[in-house]
Amino acid sequence: MTIVFAVANQKGGVGKTTTSVNLAASLGLMNREVLLIDLDPQGNATMGSGMEKKELPHSIYDVLIGEKSAEESLVKAEAAGYDVLGSNSDLIGAEIELLDLDRREYRLKDALLGFGGKYDFIVLDCPPALGVLTLNGLVASDSVIIPCLLYTSDAADEGLGVDL
């Protein structure tokens, strides 16, 4: 049975991508079959997995708008130890294009059905917004990991951390 984790937070800079890539790599090192899906148009999880986002033959964008299947769009990240459904700036257009499509919030969940239990874990790196891309990630997931920065008075004195 596949377990799907969405790593999400509306705030940027809290470690969503770092958490996603490190979780995928750690699970891969434990000999688990892992798929990392980069739902962020910035494509940092794609690049953090050792791929050039501008050179992807297909991306999660193609999957979400229905031009390619998830299986056709996979890239093996051999050095990282997991598979990647990558992202690039094309994904910016998906926010608008998905609004007119049927089952817009279920597009990712429906696409993942094609894997039929191939993966032990799927990790979804969500963008820092509560738009249709993050909504797709939340609908497709079994659990949500919400990274956040901790704030301490010592950090404030040093100019570190985030004011809450």
Side-chain angles (χ1 to χ4, degrees), residues 4-6 105 108-110 112 124 135-142:
V4 182
F5 292 108
E105 47 291 297
L108 180 59
K109 184 177 181 111
D110 293 345
L112 296 181
L124 310 173
L135 187 56
N136 263 271
L138 295 173
V139 168
S141 68
D142 300 309

Side-chain angles (χ1 to χ4, degrees), residues 29-46:
L29 283 172
M30 295 172 58
N31 295 318
R32 302 291 197 255
E33 293 295 323
V34 181
L35 171 62
L36 174 65
I37 299 178
D38 191 350
L39 289 172
D40 190 339
Q42 293 181 45
N44 290 330
T46 302

Side-chain angles (χ1 to χ4, degrees), residues 55-137:
E55 296 176 7
L56 293 172
H58 307 293
S59 70
I60 189 64
Y61 167 80
D62 300 305
V63 175
L64 292 174
I65 64 167
E67 288 186 2
K68 296 289 179 183
S69 71
E71 297 87 0
E72 292 175 293
S73 303
L74 281 177
V75 178
K76 299 266 184 204
E78 300 291 338
Y82 52 84
D83 294 343
V84 177
L85 240 170
S87 171
N88 55 35
S89 59
D90 292 346
L91 194 55
I92 294 169
E95 285 283 347
I96 295 166
E97 291 179 54
L98 286 170
L99 293 177
D100 294 330
L101 298 178
D102 291 334
R103 295 180 50 85
R104 67 177 168 258
E105 47 291 297
Y106 294 92
R107 306 290 286 195
L108 180 59
K109 184 177 181 111
D110 293 345
L112 296 181
L113 293 175
F115 289 122
K118 174 182 177 181
Y119 293 100
D120 298 313
F121 296 95
I122 297 176
V123 180
L124 310 173
D125 181 35
C126 296
L130 189 54
V132 71
L133 295 173
T134 299
L135 187 56
N136 263 271

